[in-house]
């Protein structure tokens, strides 16, 4: 009997050890993966396009390394799953629920195969690297975490991994706020440019560096991604404060929650603040409800106090919302009304833009500005090239006498409404260039001496055509920091990509990049940027892998949300992991809400999919 007991104890210990080994990939994914960075010189595969720089090689400091590391973790997870299925003869847990993901994976592969650019779809777009293999890796992470999480100890261990990763990230973020940015330090720059030529370190410029108020970007590359990350992790760390067993774990969770909130405000993510209000309310309602229900179950007083329970729940939710609104008000005052300005801008519609038309053609450049139509050309007088302007009226042309502006070194069209237009002509390498400065945005056109035809030249010195793209949301291009412009040009693309899309990581090619005029009307900064993402996870998916693939993802997410709500409604079955389940559920909800104004990115999405898998596992354990 003694030997039998020893054997059983050894088998139990071996099984526990095996379970811990299986948890290593998600532990690394949650704790260390988001911290990865490093400079790599990569091929962009876009240099042939007029709207992209000419250099074949570009530097990438965050996304390339993360995508490669994630693929290693995803392959590791798939090998363990294969071992469980093929050698241990264990079936996938509730594999039917993953059918929408399997269909999505198949559609993503078809989309990559039929892509407008297979190179991008299979190897990744510069500074994105969310190619088809990464998309399949997301599915693997969700399925893996849903199957290997079996005990409460597993859930708590992975929750601590999430908390550890968030704590380390928030330390970097707080350092960026106070001007002690790890990445801008000598050590950080050395780590970023390790293996690159010396010019890479010397020319390294941090767009969101010190001196910028919204300077928190952690190691996630962009403040917007910080907003998504903090909203994803905050509900987990906050609920850990109440449901972890050990005091040091609760203290760490509370500290991390406070640091994450500071980083959220420091990132300037107004979307994150808005979603945070929703989550605080939902979280206060859910977590307080679970806590009070568990107490009443223990005392047998549940049925007698349900009404009082609901009052307390709503009170806690309201208190949380009021506290966060107060914090946002303080932030708004400190930032000179930045939040109010954003809200006003989002509600404002532009009835007509000053620059109504601009294109190059025969005998000149044609422009309509403030309702006035002009033809602008380069003319030679006494051996000097000068701009000439003709106003188009009733089919006739009337010459305009230009005024010389010494301060700027260009000519100007008379009239107060045209004060923001400057004209200049110059010769370079035998070519005649007509320069138009309109609302602080530079436009260059080259004249063909033989045919007297003008051609637009992009900021990268390449010839192209200015094309007005089909659009919706007209007049609202500037809302939500220019997202109205991007969405308004993306939505008309959807009918074209119903089945399999343009291909993973090819949004930059699907988007009408030659819509230069309206891009410029959105703002000076916007006119200099390449639109490489939809700033909406759902539009991004619909365009790149097709509307049908988006439907599959929505079905999968809705199944999880519905299941979680049903479990909560059966409050007596909340289980020991009710608090953590609520935290993960709220994190998933927050991520999906943030996806309405942000993209899926390889810096954050793997953590989301792994968390979603844990949420599914907890729901399964609650049911069974």
């Amino acid at each position: 009997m003694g030997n039998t007991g020893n054997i059983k104890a050894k088998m139990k210990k071996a099984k526990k050890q095996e379970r811990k080994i299986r948890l290593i990939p998600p532990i690394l994914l949650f704790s260390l993966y988001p911290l990865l960075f490093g400079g790599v010189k990569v091929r962009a595969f876009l240099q042939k396009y007029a709207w992209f720089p000419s250099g074949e090689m570009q530097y990438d400091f965050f996304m390339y390394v993360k995508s490669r590391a994630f693929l290693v973790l995803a392959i590791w997870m798939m090998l363990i799953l294969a071992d469980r299925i093929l050698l241990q003869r264990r079936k996938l847990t509730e594999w039917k629920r993953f059918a929408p993901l399997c269909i999505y994976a198949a559609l993503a592969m078809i989309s990559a195969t039929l892509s407008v650019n297979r190179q991008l779809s299979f190897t990744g777009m510069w500074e994105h690297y969310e190619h088809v293999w990464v998309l399949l890796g997301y599915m693997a992470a969700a399925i893996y975490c849903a199957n290997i999480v079996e005990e409460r100890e597993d859930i708590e261990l992975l929750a601590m991994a999430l908390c550890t990763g968030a704590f380390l990230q928030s330390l970097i973020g707080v350092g960026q706020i106070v001007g002690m940015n790890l990445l801008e330090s000598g050590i950080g720059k050395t780590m970023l440019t390790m293996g690159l030529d010396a010019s890479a370190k010397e020319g390294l410029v941090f767009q969101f560096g010190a001196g910028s108020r919204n300077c928190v970007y952690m190691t996630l590359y962009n403040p917007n991604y910080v907003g998504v990350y903090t909203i994803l992790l905050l509900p987990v760390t906050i609920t850990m404060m109440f449901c972890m067993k050990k005091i040091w774990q609760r203290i760490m969770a509370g500290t991390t929650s406070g640091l994450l909130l500071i980083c959220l405000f420091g990132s300037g993510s107004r979307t994150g603040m808005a979603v945070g209000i929703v989550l605080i309310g939902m979280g206060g309602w859910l977590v307080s409800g679970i806590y009070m229900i568990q107490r009443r179950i223990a005392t047998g007083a549940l049925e007698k106090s349900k009404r009082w329970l609901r009052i307390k729940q709503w009170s806690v939710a309201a208190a949380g919302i009021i506290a966060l609104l107060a914090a946002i008000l303080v932030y708004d005052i400190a930032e000179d009304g930045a939040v109010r300005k954003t809200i006003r801008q989002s509600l404002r519609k532009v009835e007509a833009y000053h620059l109504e038309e601009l294109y190059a053609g025969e005998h000149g450049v044609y422009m309509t500005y403030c309702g006035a139509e002009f033809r602008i050309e380069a003319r030679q007088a006494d051996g000097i090239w000068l701009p000439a302007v003709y106003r188009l009226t009733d089919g006739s042309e009337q010459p305009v006498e230009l005024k010389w502006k010494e301060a700027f070194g260009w000519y100007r069209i008379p009239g107060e409404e045209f004060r923001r237009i400057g004209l200049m002509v110059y010769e370079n390498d035998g070519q005649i260039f007509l320069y138009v400065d309109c609302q602080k945005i530079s436009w260059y056109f080259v004249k063909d001496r033989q045919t007297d035809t003008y051609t637009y030249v992009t900021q990268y010195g390449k010839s192209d055509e200015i094309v007005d793209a089909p659009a919706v949301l007209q007049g609202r291009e500037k809302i939500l920091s220019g997202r109205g412009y991007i969405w308004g040009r993306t939505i008309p693309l959807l009918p074209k990509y119903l089945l399999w899309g343009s291909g993973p990581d090819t949004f930059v090619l699907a988007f009408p990049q030659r819509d230069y005029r309206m891009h410029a009307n959105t703002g000076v900064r916007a006119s200099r940027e390449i639109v490489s993402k939809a700033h909406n996870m759902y539009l991004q998916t619909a365009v790149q892998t097709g509307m049908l693939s988006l439907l599959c993802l929505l079905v999968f997410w809705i199944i999880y949300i519905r299941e979680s709500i049903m479990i909560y409604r059966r409050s007596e079955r909340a289980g020991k992991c009710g608090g953590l389940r609520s935290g993960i559920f709220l994190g998933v909800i927050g991520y999906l809400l943030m996806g309405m104004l942000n993209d899926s990115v390889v810096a954050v999405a793997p953590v989301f999919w792994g968390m979603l898998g844990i949420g599914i596992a907890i729901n399964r354990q609650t049911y069974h």
Side-chain angles (χ1 to χ4, degrees), residues 370-383:
C370 290
E373 299 181 31
F374 298 100
R375 180 174 68 83
I376 309 169
E377 64 172 339
R379 295 186 64 181
Q380 194 173 29
D382 299 327

Side-chain angles (χ1 to χ4, degrees), residues 146-195:
N147 281 270
I148 57 97
V149 173
E150 298 174 345
E151 305 289 341
R152 176 187 170 89
E153 289 75 14
D154 299 343
I155 298 167
E156 291 184 347
L157 187 59
L158 293 178
M160 284 306 302
L162 285 166
C163 187
T164 301
F167 178 74
L168 295 174
Q169 280 282 19
S170 60
L171 287 181
I172 295 173
V174 171
Q176 290 169 343
I177 291 176
V178 300
M180 299 175 62
N181 189 350
L182 170 65
L183 299 181
E184 291 189 21
S185 67
I187 296 175
K189 285 187 176 182
T190 300
M191 294 173 65
L192 276 169
T193 57
M194 191 178 298

Side-chain angles (χ1 to χ4, degrees), residues 103-293:
I103 298 173
Y104 169 81
L107 290 171
M109 184 57 71
I110 293 172
S111 178
T113 305
L114 302 176
S115 171
V116 297
N117 189 312
R118 291 190 186 91
Q119 194 78 52
L120 293 182
S121 291
F122 282 99
T123 62
M125 158 72 183
W126 170 59
E127 292 192 334
H128 288 232
Y129 294 102
E130 199 177 49
H131 46 75
V132 65
W133 305 119
V134 169
L135 297 182
L136 297 181
Y138 294 164
M139 312 302 104
I143 294 172
Y144 183 84
C145 290
N147 281 270
I148 57 97
V149 173
E150 298 174 345
E151 305 289 341
R152 176 187 170 89
E153 289 75 14
D154 299 343
I155 298 167
E156 291 184 347
L157 187 59
L158 293 178
M160 284 306 302
L162 285 166
C163 187
T164 301
F167 178 74
L168 295 174
Q169 280 282 19
S170 60
L171 287 181
I172 295 173
V174 171
Q176 290 169 343
I177 291 176
V178 300
M180 299 175 62
N181 189 350
L182 170 65
L183 299 181
E184 291 189 21
S185 67
I187 296 175
K189 285 187 176 182
T190 300
M191 294 173 65
L192 276 169
T193 57
M194 191 178 298
L196 301 177
D197 50 88
S199 61
K201 185 174 182 179
E202 294 171 1
L204 188 60
V205 177
F206 293 87
Q207 183 179 357
F208 307 105
S212 170
R213 290 187 176 182
N214 301 333
C215 61
V216 177
Y217 54 96
M218 298 180 175
T219 59
L220 302 176
Y221 178 60
N222 191 298
N224 288 333
Y225 306 159
V226 173
V228 177
Y229 182 78
T230 53
I231 288 298
L232 177 64
L233 271 295
L234 259 174
V236 179
T237 59
I238 290 175
T239 53
M240 286 175 65
M241 294 166 53
F242 304 99
C243 60
M244 297 302 286
K245 294 179 180 177
K246 299 178 181 179
I247 295 296
W248 71 266
Q249 293 174 327
R250 296 186 179 191
I251 293 173
M252 182 177 177
T255 304
T256 303
S257 300
L259 294 175
L260 283 175
L261 278 172
I262 293 172
C263 290
L264 176 60
F265 282 97
S267 72
S269 175
R270 290 149 197 160
T271 307
M273 296 175 200
V275 173
I277 294 174
V278 177
L279 294 186
I280 288 290
M282 290 180 63
W285 195 77
L286 282 175
V287 176
S288 63
I290 291 173
Y291 175 73
M292 288 183 282
I293 285 170

Side-chain angles (χ1 to χ4, degrees), residues 222 224-225 228 269-272 274-275 342 346 479-484 486-487 533-540 590-600:
N222 191 298
N224 288 333
Y225 306 159
V228 177
S269 175
R270 290 149 197 160
T271 307
V275 173
T342 300
S346 299
I479 67 171
L480 300 171
S481 303
R483 285 173 172 82
I486 298 173
W487 298 346
K533 46 185 180 260
H535 288 282
N536 182 295
M537 181 173 66
Y538 307 98
L539 288 177
Q540 174 195 20
Y591 181 89
L592 296 178
L593 290 175
M594 290 293 288
M596 297 176 70
L597 278 85
N598 294 277
D599 302 89
S600 169

Side-chain angles (χ1 to χ4, degrees), residues 560-570 585 619:
Y560 166 73
I561 293 171
R562 178 177 176 273
E563 180 181 79
S564 299
I565 293 173
M566 287 178 63
I567 290 175
Y568 178 74
R569 290 178 65 183
R570 301 171 186 177
F585 171 69
N619 285 352

